[in-house]
Amino acid sequence: MAEYILAKENGRNIPQEDKIFGISNRAKKAIAEKGAGRVINATIGSLLDDNGELVVLSSVAAVFKQLSPKDYADYAPIGGIASFKEAVQKSAFGAHRPDGFVEAVATPGGTGSLRNVISNYSVFGDKVLTSDWHWAPYNTIAGELGRSVDTFEFFTAQRTFNAAAFHAKVSQLLDVQESLVVILNTPAHNPTGYSLTLSDWDQVVDALCGAAKCGKAIALVIDAAYIDFAGDEEEYRRFLPKLSKLPENVLPIMAYSLSKTFTLYGTRCGAMICIAKTKAIADEFRRVCEYSSRGSWSNSAKVAQVILSKIYSDPELLGKVGKERAHYRDMLLARSRAFEEEARLVGLETVPFDAGFFLSIPCDNPDEISAKLEQQDVFIVPLAKGLRVSVASISEEKCRRLPALIKAAMA
Ligand code: PLP
């Protein structure tokens, strides 16, 4: 437990070192000393090519290079520039725009959207609900705002989405609090790679329709950070029209990010997009979220907003970006298939996986196993319930080698 000298703890537990950055730094050191070929660094959450270099879509980079100083130096309006607000809806919804009153507010990445939802759709002390396997910063964001995270069991013993556990936890929390924020990270969930199926979505919608009868406010966040790396971009948006079935007091909000989809991680751009049943709810959404933005980061950076606007105003360029992304998505999918094939061969169990940057291996002693693997220059991330492997950051050849190494370390 850290000793506070001048800073205030305020109910948070701030570690001396971020665990993932710590491992990642040790991996980088090993690479510097021994060479990239001798080290497996499966800790990084960005898409890297087979040489360990960051993948940047050249079609997107070309737009960047043609920008004028005003495109990147000027302030954007708090809620985002108008052309971005339009373009980002097209990008988020594709051909599956749900019915409803839609408003988009620019945010610094998906992270900003998550922060603004929690700040505006829950109250101090509330529990925010997500799956037991989840992206750790949800806890940090909730904690910064005086909330905490509660979880439901993501999978049944039959390796399917645990709709009963979801339903039970939603009801339990609504019994004791006046509002509820639910975060579902799908498709291509971090850290498991699971994508909710259309029938999983039917169960989620049914559960929320039932729970909403109490009349309390529910915000359903679809954290779609990896949506464009799951597989066919339209196929993976087919769940969206189902959101229109939700009643007035359940507000679906898509946390959309340009980080992965357009390889613009560092430009910090995303949007929170609501699909409301009434204009009043949509207008309120825009008002409260813009207010929160003003009080946290103020304006979001303009540069990626302009880039997205330019991409969506030029069909040929949009096609080029889509084609280039598909190439890298295929590379990523080939890596995860290679990992899965080898895992089956060596008898290594994985958590139900569909697609994406990561997959997970359940185990009881993740810290011990990852420390053992580090001794062989294999770096993966220990989580509460297992180990996370980033197939986004290692070659297909390393993906093939890794399952046997993990299996041996677990023996
Ligand atoms: N949600 C999940 C599950 C993520 O893994 C990430 C990024 O790693 C994000 C949201 C948000 O990323 P960004 O703020 O860069 O859009």
Side-chain angles (χ1 to χ4, degrees):
M1 188 64 196
E3 290 247 348
Y4 283 82
I5 302 162
L6 298 179
K8 307 296 175 221
E9 186 176 2
N10 289 327
R12 303 163 303 169
N13 179 9
I14 303 178
Q16 293 293 345
E17 182 192 49
D18 181 282
K19 208 171 182 177
I20 299 187
F21 291 139
I23 300 171
S24 189
N25 286 338
R26 293 198 292 280
K28 280 182 199 148
K29 192 163 166 259
I31 289 171
E33 284 168 5
K34 301 174 189 173
R38 311 194 54 156
V39 176
I40 298 182
N41 182 7
T43 64
I44 299 172
S46 322
L47 185 60
L48 307 185
D49 66 17
D50 288 352
N51 299 318
E53 297 295 331
L54 184 73
V55 168
V56 182
L57 298 180
S58 64
S59 48
V60 175
V63 181
F64 210 123
K65 286 181 193 142
Q66 287 160 10
L67 295 178
S68 71
K70 273 191 188 161
D71 290 333
Y72 50 80
D74 202 3
Y75 281 129
I78 297 282
I81 59 175
S83 54
F84 169 75
K85 288 187 183 199
E86 258 187 46
V88 81
Q89 292 177 35
K90 290 184 189 153
S91 182
F93 296 148
H96 294 89
R97 185 185 173 97
D99 289 334
F101 292 85
V102 172
E103 281 288 347
V105 174
T107 54
T111 306
S113 308
L114 293 160
R115 188 240 170 253
N116 272 0
V117 176
I118 295 174
S119 129
N120 287 295
Y121 292 90
S122 63
V123 299
F124 289 113
D126 264 3
K127 289 190 168 146
V128 171
L129 181 62
T130 194
S131 46
D132 50 1
W133 292 91
H134 63 262
W135 190 47
Y138 293 157
N139 302 279
T140 316
I141 300 166
E144 285 285 298
L145 296 165
R147 279 75 157 171
S148 59
V149 167
D150 201 350
T151 61
F152 67 94
E153 209 178 338
F154 205 0
F155 302 108
T156 64
Q158 290 71 42
R159 301 173 58 81
T160 57
F161 174 68
N162 198 338
F166 174 73
H167 195 161
K169 214 53 196 248
V170 167
S171 304
Q172 191 188 317
L173 289 174
L174 282 171
D175 277 347
V176 295
Q177 56 189 53
E178 292 306 308
S179 46
L180 179 63
V181 170
V182 177
I183 304 173
L184 294 178
N185 172 211
T186 184
H189 175 261
N190 175 7
T192 67
Y194 188 73
S195 304
L196 263 68
T197 64
L198 291 175
S199 92
D200 294 342
W201 267 111
D202 286 336
Q203 297 183 79
V204 166
V205 168
D206 280 353
L208 293 176
C209 284
K213 290 195 177 120
C214 67
K216 295 180 179 177
I218 304 172
L220 169 63
V221 186
I222 301 104
D223 178 354
Y226 298 92
I227 192 166
D228 293 306
F229 281 94
D232 181 85
E233 289 161 12
E234 289 304 336
E235 188 59 32
Y236 275 92
R237 283 169 165 78
R238 279 178 60 205
F239 70 94
L240 285 167
K242 292 179 186 295
L243 301 173
S244 303
K245 292 187 196 153
L246 291 164
E248 191 173 320
N249 58 324
V250 181
L251 183 61
I253 300 164
M254 198 159 168
Y256 189 70
S257 169
L258 273 62
S259 296
K260 283 90 186 169
T261 294
F262 294 93
T263 63
L264 286 169
Y265 311 85
T267 62
R268 309 308 301 137
C269 188
M272 52 196 313
I273 309 173
C274 79
I275 304 132
K277 270 274 172 307
T278 68
K279 183 165 183 312
I281 293 171
D283 288 346
E284 175 189 68
F285 169 87
R286 188 178 42 73
R287 182 171 58 85
V288 299
C289 295
E290 288 186 0
Y291 185 87
S292 279
S293 298
R294 186 63 171 147
S296 39
W297 46 79
S298 192
N299 328 62
S300 290
K302 189 177 178 190
V303 65
Q305 297 183 36
V306 175
I307 293 173
L308 194 77
S309 306
K310 286 189 185 292
I311 291 172
Y312 272 83
S313 69
D314 179 347
E316 199 184 317
L317 173 60
L318 178 63
K320 229 174 171 179
V321 172
K323 216 165 145 200
E324 202 182 355
R325 185 191 305 114
H327 165 78
Y328 287 110
R329 185 170 57 231
D330 288 346
M331 174 188 85
L332 180 67
L333 293 170
R335 289 177 183 174
S336 57
R337 270 196 301 274
F339 187 99
E340 280 194 297
E341 258 171 45
E342 289 302 317
R344 259 194 304 277
L345 283 176
V346 302
L348 178 72
E349 187 194 345
T350 60
V351 180
F353 172 85
D354 174 53
F357 279 36
F358 308 103
L359 42 78
S360 291
I361 294 111
C363 72
D364 294 330
N365 46 351
D367 287 305
E368 198 183 304
I369 307 293
S370 77
K372 245 188 191 175
L373 286 164
E374 270 199 42
Q375 287 166 8
Q376 304 164 57
D377 295 317
V378 173
F379 297 84
I380 58 180
V381 175
L383 307 168
K385 300 187 62 162
L387 303 159
R388 185 188 81 171
V389 172
S390 163
V391 290
S393 67
I394 56 172
S395 66
E396 187 175 332
E397 184 269 323
K398 285 179 177 172
C399 283
R400 275 201 189 282
R401 270 201 281 140
L402 196 47
L405 295 170
I406 298 173
K407 181 76 183 174
M410 288 169 86

